[in-house]
Amino acid sequence: MHIFYNKQGIGDVLLFPFKTVTHNHITFETYGDVVEIRENQTNEVIGYNIFHASSYMSDLETGKIVVDETIVSKLGEIFKKNNVPTELSIDLSPKFVVGQVVEMKPHENADKLRVCQVDIGEETLQIVCGAPNVDIHQKVVVAKVGAIMPSGLEIKPSNLRGIDSFGMLCSQKELGLPNAPKEKGIYVLPNDYVLGEPFEF
């Protein structure tokens, strides 16, 4: 997860998106310097804007800032100072990780889909995949539930033709990697990638 700061480009505002929405059905609630942004239909918090950010965090750097425990602590202090009633709850676990396909079988109700068991180190996820090149023993990039793809798509638990799926095996194009091949297929990683490690891109 990242926050964004560009004082020269947009002013002294810290942008803190939880997820991307593709419509205008959002509402805003202001608490001092903190603006809480919610999705209308679900009332889910999708992000915050923090104004006069440099008065709270003097060491801000322009660009994308990785959210870690220190940042979460500082954001919590900002929320308290501005009497934000919503408790800040942030899952800091990596959402894009190195996995390995340890089992694969055909989908019972779809010829082009495969039901994969994917070891991500701490657990094994069942992921339904339609990529033509997926195979057992491959090291792959796994977008876990809660991951936000570069396209803005949020990965959620799903049910594909009657089979539950908890994540996605990613292609280079889906990850927004430069020079991604045009052919369909997941990104098969070299074997020296470490199982369960975050995949940085």
Side-chain angles (χ1 to χ4, degrees):
M1 181 175 286
H2 299 88
I3 54 179
F4 303 89
Y5 184 72
N6 184 348
K7 187 173 184 178
Q8 185 174 357
I10 61 173
D12 192 15
V13 184
L14 194 64
L15 306 178
F16 187 14
F18 289 167
K19 62 181 289 188
T20 301
V21 293
T22 57
H23 54 73
N24 295 321
H25 304 303
I26 53 178
T27 56
F28 303 90
E29 193 71 46
T30 301
Y31 304 96
D33 287 330
V34 179
V35 176
E36 184 177 78
I37 308 165
R38 290 181 177 267
E39 203 274 335
N40 257 356
Q41 294 177 334
T42 64
N43 201 36
E44 178 184 8
V45 176
I46 59 173
Y48 293 94
N49 292 343
I50 300 172
F51 290 84
H52 307 110
S54 62
S55 67
Y56 298 102
M57 301 169 71
S58 58
D59 54 350
L60 285 170
E61 297 181 2
T62 297
K64 184 166 64 173
I65 304 167
V66 176
V67 176
D68 57 17
E69 290 183 3
T70 301
I71 294 291
V72 171
S73 177
K74 288 181 179 179
L75 291 172
E77 292 173 6
I78 294 170
F79 276 37
K80 285 182 180 178
K81 287 180 181 178
N82 288 276
N83 298 313
V84 180
T86 309
E87 185 176 347
L88 187 64
S89 178
I90 299 174
D91 180 6
L92 293 177
S93 64
K95 297 303 180 189
F96 294 89
V97 298
V98 177
Q100 185 168 30
V101 181
V102 294
E103 184 181 322
M104 186 178 73
K105 62 182 181 181
H107 193 296
E108 296 175 356
N109 303 313
D111 293 340
K112 294 184 178 180
L113 297 179
R114 303 286 181 270
V115 182
C116 302
Q117 303 300 323
V118 186
D119 184 358
I120 59 169
E122 59 187 23
E123 61 180 323
T124 298
L125 302 175
Q126 178 168 285
I127 298 176
V128 178
C129 180
N133 65 329
V134 64
D135 206 352
I136 197 167
H137 304 313
Q138 288 173 335
K139 292 274 183 76
V140 293
V141 181
V142 178
K144 296 165 59 179
V145 169
I148 305 294
M149 302 300 294
S151 65
L153 173 71
E154 180 182 6
I155 303 302
K156 298 180 179 181
S158 59
N159 185 284
L160 301 173
R161 299 281 186 92
I163 301 292
D164 291 332
S165 183
F166 303 95
M168 186 173 81
L169 306 186
C170 303
S171 69
Q172 294 186 51
K173 183 178 180 181
E174 288 165 334
L175 294 168
L177 300 182
N179 304 314
K182 294 181 181 179
E183 297 81 11
K184 290 184 178 180
I186 57 169
Y187 184 18
V188 180
L189 298 171
N191 216 32
D192 57 354
Y193 274 75
V194 179
L195 192 68
E197 288 290 302
F199 181 80
E200 304 290 348
F201 62 97

